[in-house]
């Protein structure tokens, strides 16, 4: 599905600036892995104080996952949400893998962290992938006047 999505985006000339994946459980937030240039990772790292509100301020280079990886060659920064994974396989595909086993506070914290990062990307933008030169433009939405 991910490859087909990327193929269709390419065929339609759609531009994806970032793609985020959350596929490691709904446990307590730790941070994000960022697949992009050093400048793109640094931009996300600068937002760690905002993400600290959710305990999601660990930012590592390299991230995304199989569901967003096909968008990386098209220029998207790929981001993987990192929750605490200690008990992932205690639940994943087991008889305990039920909605009533979800810790709502942890799930909400992760959702808040992902929403905050999405907002920051939309409002502040990320450096373009080719931005190794000092004159490189940032990819961002125009600021409201």
């Amino acid at each position: 599905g991910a490859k087909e999505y990327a193929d269709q985006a390419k065929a339609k000339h759609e531009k994806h600036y970032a793609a985020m994946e959350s596929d490691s459980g709904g446990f307590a937030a730790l941070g994000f892995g960022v697949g992009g240039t050093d400048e793109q990772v640094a931009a996300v790292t600068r937002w760690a104080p905002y993400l600290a509100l959710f305990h999601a301020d660990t930012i590592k280079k390299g991230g995304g996952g199989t569901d967003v990886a096909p968008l990386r060659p098209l220029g998207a920064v790929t981001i993987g949400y990192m929750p605490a994974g200690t008990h992932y396989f205690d639940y994943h595909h087991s008889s305990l893998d039920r909605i009533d086993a979800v810790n709502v506070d942890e799930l909400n914290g992760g959702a808040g962290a992902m929403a905050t990062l999405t907002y920051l990307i939309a409002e502040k933008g990320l450096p373009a992938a080719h931005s190794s030169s000092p004159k490189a433009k940032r990819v961002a939405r125009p600021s409201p006047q």
Side-chain angles (χ1 to χ4, degrees):
K3 184 180 178 323
E4 179 63 23
Y5 181 89
D7 289 347
Q8 288 189 28
K10 184 176 181 179
K12 295 175 186 175
H13 305 287
E14 295 174 351
K15 174 66 177 159
H16 289 67
Y17 295 99
M20 189 181 312
E21 179 170 333
S22 170
D23 199 18
S24 297
F27 302 103
L30 296 178
F32 296 91
V34 181
T37 66
D38 288 344
E39 283 183 288
Q40 291 165 333
V41 175
V44 175
T45 301
R46 283 192 294 277
W47 299 330
Y50 300 105
L51 300 170
L53 298 169
F54 306 97
H55 308 287
D57 53 336
T58 299
I59 310 299
K60 296 182 179 180
K61 183 171 175 72
T66 57
D67 294 332
V68 295
L71 292 171
R72 180 83 182 107
L74 302 180
V77 175
T78 54
I79 302 168
Y81 168 68
M82 297 183 315
T86 307
H87 297 288
Y88 181 78
F89 287 106
D90 293 345
Y91 294 92
H92 186 66
H93 295 301
S94 77
S95 62
L96 298 174
D97 198 351
R98 302 182 318 266
I99 193 67
D100 63 335
V102 172
N103 180 313
V104 174
D105 290 336
E106 290 182 354
L107 187 66
N108 286 339
M114 288 186 285
T116 299
L117 183 54
T118 301
Y119 173 84
L120 289 164
I121 292 168
E123 291 299 314
K124 304 284 188 186
L126 290 168
H130 57 77
S131 61
S132 57
S133 73
K135 294 183 181 180
K137 294 180 182 177
R138 295 180 61 81
V139 176
R141 197 171 97 200
S143 299
Q145 301 280 338

